[in-house]
Amino acid sequence: MNAPLYNTQILRLAASIPHHRRLTDPMASVAKRSPVCGSEVIVDVDLGDDGRVAALGVEVRACALGQASAALMATHAIGCAPDALAAARDALTAWLAGERDALPDWPGFDLLAPALPHSARHASIRLPFEAVAQAVAQAAASAARAKAAR
């Protein structure tokens, strides 16, 4: 792969993170920080009655790759079920680790391919997907407990 690490597409994504404001009263909120590079991502979620992401808030303090990954996550997370977000997280982790050749089934991951040989950047790329998967799992568990208590 000879593509530049910080190309125009990645920089454009990094500058266009949707849902970039925290939710005021989220069902769940998860903060993740990379000890490798110091990148930090906070994800707030609300789930709808169908158990899918209904609202999302994202705060990102990361390099351009972490921001680009957050943009990819936030652009497509609304409407996703917890298992789909966990699958995207796991596929991204496996792809970055070289455990799978196929790109994860999530729109835009091909734009992050230039970062594949740069393992020091992988943690920052994983953070948004780790945070959203954990947040939706927590929100789903909380909703299930509330439903059982009724």
Side-chain angles (χ1 to χ4, degrees):
M1 281 180 216
N2 293 329
L5 184 56
Y6 293 105
N7 60 49
T8 304
Q9 291 174 310
I10 286 177
L11 296 175
R12 232 181 241 133
L13 267 176
S16 63
I17 302 170
H19 314 291
H20 65 279
R21 299 210 191 284
R22 303 278 313 271
L23 299 180
T24 55
D25 189 23
M27 291 177 74
S29 184
V30 169
K32 290 284 190 178
R33 184 179 179 282
S34 168
V36 175
C37 63
S39 291
E40 184 177 26
V41 174
I42 303 170
V43 174
D44 301 327
V45 297
D46 284 333
L47 301 182
D49 292 338
D50 61 358
R52 295 174 178 273
V53 177
L56 179 71
V58 181
E59 185 175 292
V60 182
R61 292 185 187 101
C63 66
L65 291 166
Q67 291 176 46
S69 180
L72 291 176
M73 179 278 292
T75 298
H76 303 287
I78 301 275
C80 284
D83 59 341
L85 291 165
R89 176 206 54 210
D90 295 346
L92 175 62
T93 299
W95 178 64
L96 289 170
E99 296 168 2
R100 63 179 279 163
D101 293 329
L103 283 167
D105 186 23
W106 191 270
F109 273 148
D110 58 315
L111 299 175
L112 299 175
L116 205 50
H118 302 276
S119 60
R121 305 287 194 238
H122 293 181
S124 185
I125 294 168
R126 287 191 319 264
L127 285 180
F129 286 89
E130 291 172 351
V132 76
Q134 186 176 344
V136 296
Q138 286 178 7
S142 177
R145 284 191 301 275
K147 186 176 180 179
R150 290 187 223 156

